[in-house]
Amino acid sequence: MTVSPNPSPRDPVPGYVVTHRGSVVENRHQVHAAVTDATGRIIYAVGNPMRVTLARSAAKPAQALAVLETGALEQFDFDEADLALMCASHSSEDRHLARARAMLAKANLTEEDLRCGGHAALSESVNRAWIKRDWTPTAIANNCSGKHAGMLAGAKALGASPTEYHCITHPLQQQVTHAVEELAGLPSDHVQWAIDGCNLPAPALPLQHLAGIYARIANAADVAFTDHPSPRTQALARIFRAMAGHPELVGGDGRFCTALMQTFEGMLIGKVGADGCYAIGVCASDYTRQLGIGGALGIAVKIEDGNRGILYAAVAEILHQLQIGTPAQLHSLEAFHQPEIRNTAGVVTGHTSHQFQISSV
């Protein structure tokens, strides 16, 4: 094991991912992380595991739970792939847009019902194709369009007007807030809400509790086939299976979320949130047991300055330090873990180093 002792989450030890240009330290990016079991107990940490963090799109599996519990998936014949797109920050590839449009059609809705806006794709190849076609992205091309389509369907399943489904006071969003609070194990006054980039409410909560949410989702996948699992356990397991079974829909070609879940082949789920947030749920295995965790574990990470590439490097390093995965699995993420810094001529001008240690709490 490479983890080391840490006195207390109240006495955080700073940690950084550092970028070097030649022999010069160019930037230091501060890392915070919490690793918990399915009860929410912190086991390991970096920096401040209690940092209150906007989960942004890392909240999507919890938001999807609220939609699932409306009965919308059964009412509108949504399948597991549709559920995966509800949890996605997709790259706006043709398969993503086609599925989002199909979801709207199943619920007798149209793109005009979406309350998100269009934006450049998270994929450079998709952007280049749009430029060649002289196509301006509309709401369906928003990376969160699957979540919005699901929430529209959820509003209809509740018998509520879909018009204001994005407002925090809407019955659907009230179900979302309750689902997030319950999964996090927090009272309502301990979860803050702000408007996300896609125009929906997003929760802010301590990293410990975000990690706990993902640990509970992974734990549900472990226990769903035991005798008489609760409806919520079955719903959470369904979300885990949807994401792990359709990683290409959760992200897209070349994206970290997709590569991570494809590499681990059903052992974990992972989801990025904008501005430097990431969360992972890992099913129980020999890897979790060697860490002293009998069941599933959750990991939540925040990069203080919001850098996404640095975030992926830190997440991969944490998996290395916790020794989650085979050497081959971990090596397959090396392009994210130790990204080369190149200039416009393609010359390698720098590298990334990890100057933090995951510590037992």
Side-chain angles (χ1 to χ4, degrees):
M1 291 301 300
T2 56
V3 295
S4 64
N6 186 42
S8 165
R10 301 178 191 279
D11 183 22
V13 176
Y16 301 90
V17 176
V18 179
T19 55
H20 308 256
R21 188 171 292 272
S23 61
V24 179
V25 170
E26 188 158 37
N27 297 298
R28 288 186 175 89
H29 307 266
Q30 190 169 10
V31 181
H32 304 289
V35 180
T36 75
D37 62 16
T39 71
R41 180 172 61 104
I42 298 179
I43 311 298
Y44 299 99
V46 176
N48 179 11
M50 298 302 294
R51 187 195 188 282
V52 175
T53 300
L54 275 160
R56 305 290 294 272
S57 284
K60 282 174 178 169
Q63 292 168 315
L65 171 67
V67 175
L68 205 160
E69 290 183 336
T70 68
L73 275 68
E74 289 73 26
Q75 183 171 337
F76 299 111
D77 197 28
F78 287 177
D79 59 20
E80 198 170 82
D82 296 327
L83 180 55
L85 198 73
M86 287 167 54
C87 299
S89 297
H90 62 68
S91 291
S92 305
E93 297 164 12
D94 289 345
R95 58 186 167 186
H96 300 136
L97 305 193
R99 184 159 294 278
R101 290 188 177 104
M103 290 172 66
L104 290 172
K106 288 178 183 179
N108 196 27
L109 296 158
T110 69
E111 184 176 355
E112 287 67 36
D113 294 307
L114 296 172
R115 293 293 178 264
C116 53
H119 59 75
L122 301 181
S123 161
E124 282 306 312
S125 62
V126 171
N127 281 323
R128 288 193 295 270
W130 288 353
I131 291 169
K132 288 179 181 179
R133 289 163 45 198
D134 192 26
W135 187 70
T136 300
T138 57
I140 200 70
N142 190 293
N143 74 92
C144 303
S145 61
K147 175 175 69 171
H148 280 254
M151 287 190 173
L152 275 165
K156 291 189 73 172
L158 288 175
S161 168
T163 306
E164 304 295 330
Y165 75 93
H166 62 298
C167 297
I168 192 77
T169 54
H170 190 277
L172 187 277
Q173 293 305 329
Q174 288 297 294
Q175 288 212 186
V176 169
T177 60
H178 296 323
V180 170
E181 291 160 3
E182 290 165 7
L183 274 183
L186 288 170
S188 60
D189 60 352
H190 283 59
V191 180
Q192 302 174 58
W193 294 85
I195 303 303
D196 210 336
C198 72
N199 205 30
L200 283 169
L205 64 171
L207 285 171
Q208 174 189 6
H209 294 275
L210 179 59
I213 287 174
Y214 275 73
R216 291 179 186 105
I217 295 172
N219 190 65
D222 285 333
V223 304
F225 298 106
T226 61
D227 289 340
H228 310 299
S230 70
R232 174 155 289 184
T233 295
Q234 294 179 59
L236 291 172
R238 193 173 174 186
I239 290 167
F240 185 99
R241 291 194 301 269
M243 294 178 69
H246 299 276
E248 75 286 352
L249 296 179
V250 177
D253 291 340
R255 296 277 304 284
F256 181 75
C257 293
T258 296
L260 176 69
M261 289 187 282
Q262 287 176 335
T263 294
F264 281 87
E265 299 179 313
M267 193 178 103
L268 58 75
I269 59 169
K271 185 69 194 67
V272 68
D275 287 301
C277 177
Y278 207 90
I280 295 177
V282 184
C283 289
S285 67
D286 289 341
Y287 301 116
T288 63
R289 285 185 281 275
Q290 74 181 1
L291 294 169
I293 300 174
L297 69 82
I299 304 169
V301 185
K302 170 67 178 177
I303 299 301
E304 192 67 40
D305 64 8
N307 187 298
R308 186 186 299 161
I310 294 298
L311 171 69
Y312 296 152
V315 171
E317 174 66 12
I318 288 168
L319 292 174
H320 271 263
Q321 291 191 23
L322 294 175
Q323 297 179 17
I324 294 174
T326 66
Q329 287 171 323
L330 294 170
H331 181 73
S332 72
L333 300 173
E334 195 61 17
F336 297 100
H337 180 214
Q338 300 279 3
E340 292 180 331
I341 299 171
R342 295 177 179 268
N343 65 16
T344 55
V347 175
V348 175
T349 59
H351 68 281
T352 303
S353 68
H354 300 282
Q355 298 182 11
F356 68 87
Q357 188 72 40
I358 194 86
S359 303
S360 61
V361 176

PDB file of all heavy atoms in Angstrom, residues 121-136:
ATOM      1  N   ALA A 121     -19.298  21.718 -28.607  1.00  0.00           N
ATOM      2  CA  ALA A 121     -19.223  20.347 -28.098  1.00  0.00           C
ATOM      3  C   ALA A 121     -17.994  20.148 -27.220  1.00  0.00           C
ATOM      4  O   ALA A 121     -16.989  20.863 -27.348  1.00  0.00           O
ATOM      5  CB  ALA A 121     -19.189  19.358 -29.256  1.00  0.00           C
ATOM      6  N   LEU A 122     -18.051  19.166 -26.320  1.00  0.00           N
ATOM      7  CA  LEU A 122     -16.903  18.803 -25.500  1.00  0.00           C
ATOM      8  C   LEU A 122     -15.878  17.998 -26.298  1.00  0.00           C
ATOM      9  O   LEU A 122     -14.837  17.636 -25.765  1.00  0.00           O
ATOM     10  CB  LEU A 122     -17.364  17.996 -24.281  1.00  0.00           C
ATOM     11  CG  LEU A 122     -18.355  18.708 -23.354  1.00  0.00           C
ATOM     12  CD1 LEU A 122     -18.724  17.814 -22.172  1.00  0.00           C
ATOM     13  CD2 LEU A 122     -17.803  20.037 -22.867  1.00  0.00           C
ATOM     14  N   SER A 123     -16.177  17.740 -27.558  1.00  0.00           N
ATOM     15  CA  SER A 123     -15.289  17.009 -28.462  1.00  0.00           C
ATOM     16  C   SER A 123     -14.829  17.940 -29.574  1.00  0.00           C
ATOM     17  O   SER A 123     -15.648  18.536 -30.274  1.00  0.00           O
ATOM     18  CB  SER A 123     -16.023  15.806 -29.061  1.00  0.00           C
ATOM     19  OG  SER A 123     -15.378  15.340 -30.228  1.00  0.00           O
ATOM     20  N   GLU A 124     -13.514  18.053 -29.747  1.00  0.00           N
ATOM     21  CA  GLU A 124     -12.987  18.913 -30.808  1.00  0.00           C
ATOM     22  C   GLU A 124     -13.343  18.377 -32.188  1.00  0.00           C
ATOM     23  O   GLU A 124     -13.587  19.144 -33.121  1.00  0.00           O
ATOM     24  CB  GLU A 124     -11.471  19.064 -30.666  1.00  0.00           C
ATOM     25  CG  GLU A 124     -11.052  20.036 -29.582  1.00  0.00           C
ATOM     26  CD  GLU A 124     -11.698  21.412 -29.747  1.00  0.00           C
ATOM     27  OE1 GLU A 124     -11.675  21.967 -30.853  1.00  0.00           O
ATOM     28  OE2 GLU A 124     -12.255  21.911 -28.752  1.00  0.00           O
ATOM     29  N   SER A 125     -13.363  17.046 -32.363  1.00  0.00           N
ATOM     30  CA  SER A 125     -13.712  16.485 -33.671  1.00  0.00           C
ATOM     31  C   SER A 125     -15.155  16.797 -34.023  1.00  0.00           C
ATOM     32  O   SER A 125     -15.481  17.085 -35.187  1.00  0.00           O
ATOM     33  CB  SER A 125     -13.464  14.978 -33.690  1.00  0.00           C
ATOM     34  OG  SER A 125     -14.281  14.309 -32.744  1.00  0.00           O
ATOM     35  N   VAL A 126     -16.051  16.760 -33.033  1.00  0.00           N
ATOM     36  CA  VAL A 126     -17.443  17.135 -33.280  1.00  0.00           C
ATOM     37  C   VAL A 126     -17.531  18.605 -33.650  1.00  0.00           C
ATOM     38  O   VAL A 126     -18.241  18.985 -34.592  1.00  0.00           O
ATOM     39  CB  VAL A 126     -18.319  16.817 -32.049  1.00  0.00           C
ATOM     40  CG1 VAL A 126     -19.722  17.410 -32.210  1.00  0.00           C
ATOM     41  CG2 VAL A 126     -18.406  15.316 -31.833  1.00  0.00           C
ATOM     42  N   ASN A 127     -16.806  19.456 -32.958  1.00  0.00           N
ATOM     43  CA  ASN A 127     -16.815  20.884 -33.287  1.00  0.00           C
ATOM     44  C   ASN A 127     -16.349  21.135 -34.709  1.00  0.00           C
ATOM     45  O   ASN A 127     -16.929  21.950 -35.428  1.00  0.00           O
ATOM     46  CB  ASN A 127     -15.924  21.662 -32.307  1.00  0.00           C
ATOM     47  CG  ASN A 127     -16.608  21.907 -30.972  1.00  0.00           C
ATOM     48  OD1 ASN A 127     -17.805  22.155 -30.923  1.00  0.00           O
ATOM     49  ND2 ASN A 127     -15.845  21.841 -29.895  1.00  0.00           N
ATOM     50  N   ARG A 128     -15.285  20.451 -35.115  1.00  0.00           N
ATOM     51  CA  ARG A 128     -14.792  20.634 -36.480  1.00  0.00           C
ATOM     52  C   ARG A 128     -15.838  20.212 -37.511  1.00  0.00           C
ATOM     53  O   ARG A 128     -16.017  20.875 -38.542  1.00  0.00           O
ATOM     54  CB  ARG A 128     -13.499  19.850 -36.687  1.00  0.00           C
ATOM     55  CG  ARG A 128     -12.298  20.462 -35.967  1.00  0.00           C
ATOM     56  CD  ARG A 128     -10.989  19.852 -36.453  1.00  0.00           C
ATOM     57  NE  ARG A 128     -10.900  18.436 -36.126  1.00  0.00           N
ATOM     58  CZ  ARG A 128     -10.377  17.961 -34.998  1.00  0.00           C
ATOM     59  NH1 ARG A 128      -9.911  18.797 -34.081  1.00  0.00           N
ATOM     60  NH2 ARG A 128     -10.311  16.665 -34.790  1.00  0.00           N
ATOM     61  N   ALA A 129     -16.542  19.117 -37.220  1.00  0.00           N
ATOM     62  CA  ALA A 129     -17.592  18.665 -38.138  1.00  0.00           C
ATOM     63  C   ALA A 129     -18.717  19.682 -38.214  1.00  0.00           C
ATOM     64  O   ALA A 129     -19.272  19.940 -39.301  1.00  0.00           O
ATOM     65  CB  ALA A 129     -18.130  17.305 -37.684  1.00  0.00           C
ATOM     66  N   TRP A 130     -19.081  20.295 -37.092  1.00  0.00           N
ATOM     67  CA  TRP A 130     -20.137  21.313 -37.093  1.00  0.00           C
ATOM     68  C   TRP A 130     -19.716  22.533 -37.903  1.00  0.00           C
ATOM     69  O   TRP A 130     -20.528  23.111 -38.635  1.00  0.00           O
ATOM     70  CB  TRP A 130     -20.455  21.726 -35.660  1.00  0.00           C
ATOM     71  CG  TRP A 130     -21.190  20.698 -34.864  1.00  0.00           C
ATOM     72  CD1 TRP A 130     -21.715  19.512 -35.313  1.00  0.00           C
ATOM     73  CD2 TRP A 130     -21.473  20.754 -33.463  1.00  0.00           C
ATOM     74  NE1 TRP A 130     -22.310  18.833 -34.277  1.00  0.00           N
ATOM     75  CE2 TRP A 130     -22.187  19.564 -33.135  1.00  0.00           C
ATOM     76  CE3 TRP A 130     -21.194  21.679 -32.459  1.00  0.00           C
ATOM     77  CZ2 TRP A 130     -22.623  19.299 -31.836  1.00  0.00           C
ATOM     78  CZ3 TRP A 130     -21.636  21.410 -31.163  1.00  0.00           C
ATOM     79  CH2 TRP A 130     -22.339  20.235 -30.862  1.00  0.00           C
ATOM     80  N   ILE A 131     -18.453  22.918 -37.771  1.00  0.00           N
ATOM     81  CA  ILE A 131     -17.964  24.086 -38.521  1.00  0.00           C
ATOM     82  C   ILE A 131     -18.026  23.808 -40.016  1.00  0.00           C
ATOM     83  O   ILE A 131     -18.455  24.660 -40.814  1.00  0.00           O
ATOM     84  CB  ILE A 131     -16.536  24.434 -38.075  1.00  0.00           C
ATOM     85  CG1 ILE A 131     -16.553  24.989 -36.639  1.00  0.00           C
ATOM     86  CG2 ILE A 131     -15.903  25.457 -39.028  1.00  0.00           C
ATOM     87  CD1 ILE A 131     -15.192  25.105 -36.010  1.00  0.00           C
ATOM     88  N   LYS A 132     -17.627  22.605 -40.410  1.00  0.00           N
ATOM     89  CA  LYS A 132     -17.675  22.245 -41.831  1.00  0.00           C
ATOM     90  C   LYS A 132     -19.100  22.294 -42.367  1.00  0.00           C
ATOM     91  O   LYS A 132     -19.339  22.654 -43.523  1.00  0.00           O
ATOM     92  CB  LYS A 132     -17.083  20.853 -42.045  1.00  0.00           C
ATOM     93  CG  LYS A 132     -15.569  20.804 -41.894  1.00  0.00           C
ATOM     94  CD  LYS A 132     -15.051  19.387 -42.106  1.00  0.00           C
ATOM     95  CE  LYS A 132     -13.549  19.320 -41.929  1.00  0.00           C
ATOM     96  NZ  LYS A 132     -13.041  17.929 -42.100  1.00  0.00           N
ATOM     97  N   ARG A 133     -20.067  21.912 -41.514  1.00  0.00           N
ATOM     98  CA  ARG A 133     -21.476  21.914 -41.922  1.00  0.00           C
ATOM     99  C   ARG A 133     -22.124  23.284 -41.739  1.00  0.00           C
ATOM    100  O   ARG A 133     -23.280  23.470 -42.108  1.00  0.00           O
ATOM    101  CB  ARG A 133     -22.251  20.885 -41.095  1.00  0.00           C
ATOM    102  CG  ARG A 133     -21.933  19.448 -41.425  1.00  0.00           C
ATOM    103  CD  ARG A 133     -22.411  18.505 -40.324  1.00  0.00           C
ATOM    104  NE  ARG A 133     -23.758  18.802 -39.861  1.00  0.00           N
ATOM    105  CZ  ARG A 133     -24.274  18.368 -38.712  1.00  0.00           C
ATOM    106  NH1 ARG A 133     -23.526  17.618 -37.896  1.00  0.00           N
ATOM    107  NH2 ARG A 133     -25.506  18.675 -38.363  1.00  0.00           N
ATOM    108  N   ASP A 134     -21.392  24.217 -41.134  1.00  0.00           N
ATOM    109  CA  ASP A 134     -21.943  25.530 -40.797  1.00  0.00           C
ATOM    110  C   ASP A 134     -23.200  25.381 -39.944  1.00  0.00           C
ATOM    111  O   ASP A 134     -24.211  26.043 -40.166  1.00  0.00           O
ATOM    112  CB  ASP A 134     -22.262  26.326 -42.075  1.00  0.00           C
ATOM    113  CG  ASP A 134     -22.549  27.801 -41.775  1.00  0.00           C
ATOM    114  OD1 ASP A 134     -22.052  28.297 -40.749  1.00  0.00           O
ATOM    115  OD2 ASP A 134     -23.288  28.428 -42.554  1.00  0.00           O
ATOM    116  N   TRP A 135     -23.086  24.489 -38.937  1.00  0.00           N
ATOM    117  CA  TRP A 135     -24.222  24.216 -38.053  1.00  0.00           C
ATOM    118  C   TRP A 135     -23.996  24.849 -36.693  1.00  0.00           C
ATOM    119  O   TRP A 135     -22.937  24.668 -36.078  1.00  0.00           O
ATOM    120  CB  TRP A 135     -24.424  22.707 -37.880  1.00  0.00           C
ATOM    121  CG  TRP A 135     -25.679  22.361 -37.122  1.00  0.00           C
ATOM    122  CD1 TRP A 135     -26.965  22.495 -37.547  1.00  0.00           C
ATOM    123  CD2 TRP A 135     -25.753  21.827 -35.788  1.00  0.00           C
ATOM    124  NE1 TRP A 135     -27.839  22.070 -36.571  1.00  0.00           N
ATOM    125  CE2 TRP A 135     -27.138  21.661 -35.472  1.00  0.00           C
ATOM    126  CE3 TRP A 135     -24.807  21.470 -34.832  1.00  0.00           C
ATOM    127  CZ2 TRP A 135     -27.567  21.150 -34.258  1.00  0.00           C
ATOM    128  CZ3 TRP A 135     -25.234  20.957 -33.620  1.00  0.00           C
ATOM    129  CH2 TRP A 135     -26.612  20.807 -33.335  1.00  0.00           C
ATOM    130  N   THR A 136     -24.969  25.602 -36.226  1.00  0.00           N
ATOM    131  CA  THR A 136     -24.902  26.217 -34.909  1.00  0.00           C
ATOM    132  C   THR A 136     -25.602  25.307 -33.906  1.00  0.00           C
ATOM    133  O   THR A 136     -26.775  24.973 -34.085  1.00  0.00           O
ATOM    134  CB  THR A 136     -25.577  27.595 -34.912  1.00  0.00           C
ATOM    135  OG1 THR A 136     -24.911  28.436 -35.850  1.00  0.00           O
ATOM    136  CG2 THR A 136     -25.526  28.230 -33.528  1.00  0.00           C
TER     137      THR A 136
END
